Every structure is written in C-alpha cells, then in structure tokens.
Amino acid sequence: MTEVIMPKMGDGMEEGTLLEWLKKEGDKVKSGDVIGTIQTDKATLELEAPGSGTLAGLLIGAGDTVPVGQPIGALLKDGEKLPEGWGGSKGEAREPEPAKVGAKPEPEPEARTEAPAANGSSEGRVKSSPLARRIAKDLGVVLERVSGTGPGGRIVEKDVRAAAEQGESAIVHPAAEDTSVKLGRLRRITAERTAHSKQHVPHFYVTLEVDVEKILQLKEQFEEEGAGKVSINDFVARACVLALQEMPVVNATFQGDSVLQYGAVHLGIAAAIDEGLTVPVVRNAHTMGLRELSAAIRALVTKAKENRLAPEEVSGSTFSISNMGMLNVDNFTAIINEPNAAILAVSTTRRKVVVVEDAEDELEIRHRMNLSASFDHRVVDGAVGAKFINVVGELLENPTRLLS
C-alpha cells in the first residue's frame, strides 16, 4: 500500500487545503497522474499520485485542511486491502452530514418593536386597506408615517399618494442587506502575510516619475517589424534585474543579526487571480534577455490564472514587482513580499505636459509613468533606495540598454 499524503509544496508550507478530488475512490491511477488539487498559502497546485494502484481510503473531502505529511488517502495494488482502522475511519471520504428529510430549520428569533402608529393606533399594526398597502410598497412610502383619513383612522389609497407627493419625509429607500463573505484560503493567507509584513517590516517608500516615450517607440517598432509584442512591464522587469545586479544590497533579505545578499535574481510578479493574489516567480531572471524574460512572465501569469503553478514557481523570490498600470491608477505603494527587502509598484502611463530639457520655456506632451519602491529599512538605507529607483528609471529612459 502507498499512502497519499498532504505534500509540502514550497518553503514555509505547514498545511494544505484539498479543493477537490479529480479521481474517485476505486479509480486506477498511475504514478504522476493528477488526482486532486491543493490550495497552499500561495497558489492552487496539482496533487500527483505518488505511485500506481487503485485509489482508496480517502480520508478528507473538499474544503478540508490538514498538516503536511498527514495521510489523506491510499493506493492499493491488486490483492491489497486497507489496514484495519485505517486513518481512524472506515476509509471513506468525509462527506457533510445530509439534512434529515422533512426537517424544518429552526426559525431565528425576530426582534419586534411595538410603536404607536401615526394614525393613532397603539397596537403596533397600521390600519390600512389592501390597496393602500400595495401602493405604499410600490412607492416606498412608510405607512407608519402616514395619517389615515378613512373610517377609524384607516389609511386608504389617497392618503398614501398624498404622502408620496409630500416628498422624502414619508418615503424610505431600503438599503441593500449586509452580506458576510467567507474568505477563501488564499485571501486569508494574503491577509495574514500582508498584516505581518506591515507590522514587522519597517517600510519606507521612494517614488519617481519616469519618461517612457522611447519605450513606446520601441514597442511600436517591434510590432511594425513583426518582431512580437513586448509590454512596458517586461521593460520594467528587465530594468529591475539589471539594477539588482548592480546593487545586490537590494536583492537581499533580513536575517536578524545579518543580511543575506542573493547572487541570483529570482523575480516575483504579483498576479491577480479569482481566488486572490499570488506571486509566481521567474527563477534566474538574471540569465534572461528581454524577450525570454517577457515569455517567462506571460507563461507564469497564464499558469497562475489556470491554477497550474508548480511549487517551485511560487516560492524563492528575491525581489517583487506589482503592476497596476492596466487599472488606471496614478500612484500606489505596495506591501513588501517577505522575505524580500523591496518591491516595486508600477502605475499607469499618462500623457503629461513636461518642460523640455536644455530649453527655456518650451513644453512637450510626453508619456510618463510613476514608479514607487517599498524598502525594508533594516536592509536598505534611504539613500540606497533612492539610488536604486533612479538606476531603474535611467534604464527605462534609455531602453536600448535593456535589449542586450
């Protein structure tokens, strides 16, 4: 018998959540077959069969969270059976307890406030005709605020219409009901990690406006020559890689009594998916040219949106980029993705009126973009952070240096 365990998929993973079994009990599988999907603290990943055999003894169901290393199922070869007392159960997947047929839910206690009605009734129930009630509902009129002119103070149709004509004082606009939305695992982990980063990492921020006119000209030239598309984000990524190689102090992490400066650049790219935010990692980005880096980023973001990222593709970043340029924002600052020492926030490109360099009283309309870097002050000093973002900006304003 081969146990199927909750695998450890990345640094720091302590538990995982089963999203679904893709194979059912009794199915025959081969080693490496995808038998389920697992939600970790960073992404949704595929659960592969650790061997060949018949899937049996499923111990958890969709939505269950268990520690890494804990058995969640078994693979049986011909003639094998589950051990007695397997997993403390009968070897069947746990299912929600079905509701009893014919059972009615317990009604929740309803708060009532008895108040005298405006028409003089002291019983808390407004005396009104069926037609008046229907019209009041259609017009949004609160019957308790209407004085009735019918027999015994009864509210009739004309009273409701008169109240509606009096204006807002007699009309209520119902608000939408409050809704409690349960957080998915990825959003919960994102909440925990961003809160930890803001509380424990001393952030400081540096913002720089850069000219991207030459980048846009290069992009247009590539498309005209049929050389393929390269995004502004690709140029930013390449500029960051070169800047990190020039200034390895930023490509680092705080370790209590020391700072570890990485030799390789593993670039994290923040990607928004339906479940929340994940950060796929382009490993060894320093070995890639602009086009190779562009292709790697596109492939990872596509896999992230399709929940197909491998464990090594969501861990080990040394620097991260968050781009909201497509979301029409002038400027924003990002929370550092621990254990990185820095993250770069990229905003939307705008056409702006700028003063022409080396010319008096001359103006031009050019494409400009804000970059905001967040730094861990335990690792990076203010002057170093300012120098780093200026190195990135200079590379972007001279993009031919990014093509090598």
XYZ file of all heavy atoms in Angstrom, residues 11 14 25 38 61 97 115 118 187 207 209 226 237 281 382-383:
109
model
N 8.459 26.492 0.439
C 9.039 26.898 1.714
C 7.963 27.436 2.648
O 7.118 28.219 2.266
C 10.088 28.001 1.489
C 11.201 27.533 0.560
O 11.387 26.315 0.462
O 11.853 28.402 -0.055
N 2.930 24.702 5.932
C 2.682 23.847 7.088
C 1.404 23.038 6.951
O 1.229 22.033 7.625
C 2.625 24.687 8.360
C 3.923 25.422 8.652
C 3.849 26.252 9.910
O 2.736 26.344 10.490
O 4.891 26.783 10.337
N -12.789 7.275 -5.496
C -12.384 6.024 -4.878
C -12.708 4.852 -5.803
O -13.804 4.755 -6.348
C -13.088 5.850 -3.527
C -12.567 4.678 -2.734
C -12.615 4.936 -1.235
O -12.857 6.080 -0.835
O -12.398 3.980 -0.491
N -4.748 21.069 -4.685
C -4.428 21.505 -3.335
C -4.275 23.016 -3.320
O -3.645 23.593 -4.203
C -3.113 20.859 -2.848
C -3.246 19.333 -2.794
C -2.709 21.409 -1.484
C -4.195 18.827 -1.754
N -12.315 15.414 2.558
C -13.151 15.856 1.457
C -12.818 17.278 1.062
O -11.960 17.930 1.660
N -22.821 15.897 6.684
C -23.977 15.138 7.128
C -25.226 15.627 6.404
O -25.524 16.819 6.396
C -24.152 15.305 8.631
C -25.300 14.475 9.189
C -25.409 14.647 10.689
O -24.496 15.227 11.286
O -26.405 14.195 11.261
N -44.598 50.138 18.324
C -44.626 51.597 18.438
C -45.966 52.111 17.965
O -46.566 51.568 17.045
C -43.509 52.211 17.587
N -48.702 56.364 13.283
C -49.012 57.778 13.078
C -50.510 58.011 12.984
O -50.980 59.120 13.190
C -48.324 58.275 11.806
N -7.033 34.163 0.178
C -7.261 35.510 0.692
C -6.933 35.594 2.186
O -6.444 36.609 2.668
C -8.707 35.937 0.444
C -9.013 36.153 -1.034
C -10.364 36.800 -1.231
N -10.700 36.900 -2.634
C -10.295 37.872 -3.435
N -9.522 38.825 -2.955
N -10.640 37.886 -4.699
N 9.340 57.418 -4.581
C 8.577 57.494 -5.832
C 9.340 58.317 -6.864
O 9.944 59.340 -6.527
C 7.195 58.120 -5.588
O 6.459 57.282 -4.692
C 6.406 58.235 -6.893
N 9.005 59.655 -11.115
C 8.293 59.714 -12.393
C 9.302 59.535 -13.516
O 10.312 60.224 -13.566
C 7.569 61.049 -12.548
C 6.751 61.145 -13.823
C 6.022 62.481 -13.951
O 4.938 62.613 -13.359
O 6.563 63.389 -14.619
N 7.085 43.067 -37.063
C 6.612 41.703 -36.824
C 7.478 40.943 -35.854
O 7.552 39.713 -35.881
N 10.628 44.912 -15.737
C 11.218 43.710 -15.138
C 12.695 43.601 -15.487
O 13.548 43.319 -14.634
C 10.459 42.470 -15.602
N 7.087 33.146 -9.597
C 8.482 33.571 -9.549
C 9.223 33.150 -10.812
O 9.237 31.959 -11.167
C 9.190 32.970 -8.313
C 10.652 33.415 -8.252
C 8.462 33.378 -7.037
N 17.889 54.893 3.157
C 17.144 55.793 2.288
C 17.910 56.188 1.037
O 17.378 56.182 -0.073
N 19.191 56.539 1.195
C 19.990 56.952 0.041
C 20.170 55.807 -0.951
O 20.161 56.017 -2.171
C 21.351 57.470 0.507
